[in-house]
Amino acid sequence: QLDLTQNAIFSIACLLNMTPDHLDRHGGMEGYIAAKKRIFRRGAMPQHAVIGIDSAPTVTIAGALEKAGHWQVTKISSEGRVDGGVYVLNGVLYDDLDGLDEAVCDLMPIQTLPGYHNWQNAAAAYACCRHLGLEPDVIAAGLASFPGLAHRQQIVARYKRINFVNDSKATNADAASKALGSYPRIFWIAGGKAKDGGLNGLERLMDRVRHAYLIGDAANDFSAWCEGKCAYSVCHTMDKAVSEATALAVKERKESVILLSPACASFDQFESFEQRGEVFAATVEDVIRTRQQMLEAQQ
């Protein structure tokens, strides 16, 4: 959308990260970076740039804006201390905007904000709200009450010791890596219409995956990738994947997550990632209801 925006000027502009995506549209990474930098057009009013510095391109952008001097730059990080900025360290959000380096809130107990990427989101939201004049305790209360977003690591049900998480928005491997890095024991539903690179880059996270359930057009190709990395089943359809994942997770009697994080586009079986997530949630509901009915019939 920024690529199509000709005149928009912002008093607060936020850039979280920069990882490869949509490169066919932008002609490569340089074009993609140029499109995102359009958010930092100069205006007549005071302007704040909130920039995540956990990726190399955004570090460069932050430095260039600071050097130019037209924007007040606030650096944020979910991975380490940032002098004069906002950062998260061991799950605790710190505010050093006024040089006080104060711990504001513990993000670890907030179930709707798991993982480093959500800690980065929280730091960015906090910085923006501070620039808008909100007090730290008010922002902290808002973070603690955040209900989460549909299709983005959305907890849609809990059954036995299992959380069912809808991360249908994860349409490539990089996006899926964020959810896979957020939970220690995962029954992973992946697949759809694969993007360039497939699942490459996710190797380091496979020790978290107890079993993968592969659906859609990519199922057979993904099975070859999973060979030797994690246990897997080629299910093709959502209902089979959810049913098989639930059966094994219940049998193992441990705290687990059944995670839909497809690392694929949805257009092989669904109209959109939203519909895919809705089908997942409805299927989970059906599977839980069926299992409960079966238990009641046995009693």
Side-chain angles (χ1 to χ4, degrees):
Q1 293 177 353
L2 284 168
D3 201 34
L4 302 175
T5 302
Q6 300 302 319
N7 301 306
I9 302 295
F10 305 101
S11 56
I12 302 175
C14 182
L15 177 62
L16 292 176
N17 52 56
M18 197 81 71
T19 56
D21 204 359
H22 313 294
L23 300 188
D24 53 344
R25 171 183 174 83
H26 296 290
M29 195 64 183
E30 288 187 5
Y32 187 40
I33 292 172
K36 283 201 171 187
K37 285 170 64 176
R38 293 167 75 98
I39 200 169
F40 296 119
R41 288 194 188 91
R42 289 177 56 189
M45 77 292 252
Q47 293 175 282
H48 293 277
V50 176
I51 304 180
I53 57 167
D54 297 331
S55 65
T58 52
V59 170
T60 301
I61 292 169
L65 287 176
E66 284 181 321
K67 185 176 181 180
H70 304 300
W71 287 76
Q72 180 178 329
V73 177
T74 298
K75 297 176 183 178
I76 63 166
S77 174
S78 61
E79 298 180 1
R81 190 177 304 275
V82 181
D83 291 337
V86 178
Y87 63 93
V88 181
L89 195 61
N90 298 322
V92 177
L93 180 75
Y94 290 86
D95 178 352
D96 195 35
L97 292 174
D98 299 322
L100 301 177
D101 203 23
E102 294 182 325
V104 176
C105 65
D106 186 358
L107 301 176
M108 293 289 280
I110 306 176
Q111 281 200 326
T112 52
L113 293 172
Y116 284 91
H117 65 297
N118 273 317
W119 295 352
Q120 185 189 53
N121 290 338
Y126 180 90
C128 291
C129 289
R130 283 277 276 118
H131 291 318
L132 289 168
L134 275 71
E135 294 298 321
D137 58 340
V138 173
I139 308 171
L143 291 172
S145 64
F146 177 59
L149 297 174
H151 316 298
R152 296 161 175 84
Q153 287 184 256
Q154 174 192 17
I155 300 174
V156 297
R158 181 167 174 84
Y159 177 67
K160 303 293 186 181
R161 299 175 182 178
I162 309 161
N163 279 336
F164 293 82
V165 177
N166 165 23
D167 192 43
S168 184
K169 182 66 170 65
T171 58
N172 59 41
D174 182 72
S177 73
K178 306 302 189 291
L180 289 169
S182 298
Y183 313 104
R185 184 179 175 80
I186 301 168
F187 296 82
W188 180 30
I189 301 174
K193 186 174 177 61
K195 292 191 174 180
D196 289 346
L199 299 179
N200 292 338
L202 299 180
E203 294 86 352
R204 62 186 175 82
L205 297 166
M206 289 304 100
D207 60 340
R208 296 169 175 263
V209 175
R210 177 67 184 85
H211 200 103
Y213 300 86
L214 308 175
I215 64 174
D217 286 355
N220 290 329
D221 288 342
F222 280 12
S223 69
W225 185 93
C226 288
E227 197 69 45
K229 299 181 182 72
C230 65
Y232 66 90
S233 299
V234 176
C235 297
H236 293 297
T237 61
M238 184 74 76
D239 56 347
K240 186 177 180 183
V242 172
S243 180
E244 291 189 10
T246 304
L248 183 56
V250 169
K251 181 180 178 180
E252 296 195 350
R253 296 173 177 266
K254 295 182 179 180
E255 285 290 329
S256 304
V257 167
I258 293 179
L259 172 68
L260 171 68
S261 193
C264 282
S266 58
F267 303 122
D268 56 337
Q269 294 179 318
F270 306 97
E271 293 180 359
S272 62
F273 75 81
E274 292 96 340
Q275 188 199 32
R276 178 170 60 190
E278 290 163 2
V279 169
F280 171 73
T283 304
V284 168
E285 184 179 341
D286 289 343
V287 167
I288 292 173
R289 181 171 56 248
T290 299
R291 293 185 67 89
Q292 289 175 330
Q293 290 172 346
M294 289 174 62
L295 287 172
E296 290 170 2
Q298 293 170 4
Q299 293 175 354

